[in-house]
Amino acid sequence: AEAWRLVNFSTTANAGDAADDADPDRDQMNNLLERAFGGDPNAADSALLPATDDTAPLLSIIYRKSNAATDLTFSIEESPDLAAPWVTAAGSSSLLGNDGSAQRFRFTAPAGSAGSKFLRVRVTGP
C-alpha cells in the first residue's frame, strides 16, 4: 500500500488524497478499490468496476484483481435484495486472463430459487 501511494501521490501516508477512502479523481472508486482493480487514482476510469457478464448463461460478474495487490482480500458476496445482509456467495470463479498488471476473473453464481440475487466484490485491506 505504501509503495502504491508513493508512486501515485508522492507520500506513503494514508491521509488526504492518498487515503484509502479518498476518491481524488471522483470516479466513484476510492483509492482502496483503485489499487485493488489496478486503476489510476488520478484519472477517472469507472470501467474498472466489476460488471455483469451478459454472455454467461447464469448470473455472472467479471472483475479485475491487480497483481500487485497481494495484501488485499477479494470476496464475492450476494444478497436477495440490497437491504438484506450480504453473505458469502455460492458459486465459482474462473480466471479469464492476465495482462501482466491485473488478472480478470468471472464469478458465476447458481440460479437458485430466490426471485432475485445481487452480487458484489468486497475488497478488504490488512
Side-chain angles (χ1 to χ4, degrees):
E2 289 180 350
W4 183 85
R5 284 189 199 101
L6 189 60
V7 167
N8 290 285
F9 299 105
S10 300
T11 182
T12 59
N14 185 7
D17 280 348
D20 283 347
D21 61 355
D23 182 14
D25 60 7
R26 297 183 180 4
D27 64 358
Q28 306 303 308
M29 278 191 296
N30 64 31
N31 287 335
L32 180 69
L33 295 178
E34 292 274 6
R35 187 164 69 89
F37 299 142
D40 179 345
N42 297 303
D45 186 5
S46 59
L48 292 174
L49 288 171
T52 57
D53 181 3
D54 297 332
T55 67
L58 298 173
L59 178 60
S60 297
I61 57 173
I62 293 178
Y63 65 97
R64 292 171 48 95
K65 181 177 180 184
S66 170
N67 293 340
T70 58
D71 62 326
L72 300 179
T73 302
F74 291 69
S75 56
I76 309 300
E77 297 179 334
E78 66 181 48
S79 174
D81 57 50
L82 298 176
W86 290 86
V87 298
T88 301
S92 61
S93 287
S94 56
L95 178 64
L96 299 176
N98 187 337
D99 65 9
S101 64
Q103 300 170 318
R104 286 184 63 238
F105 290 93
R106 175 188 294 122
F107 180 87
T108 302
S113 60
S116 62
K117 185 184 291 190
F118 297 89
L119 297 175
R120 73 177 181 186
V121 178
R122 181 182 175 108
V123 178
T124 53

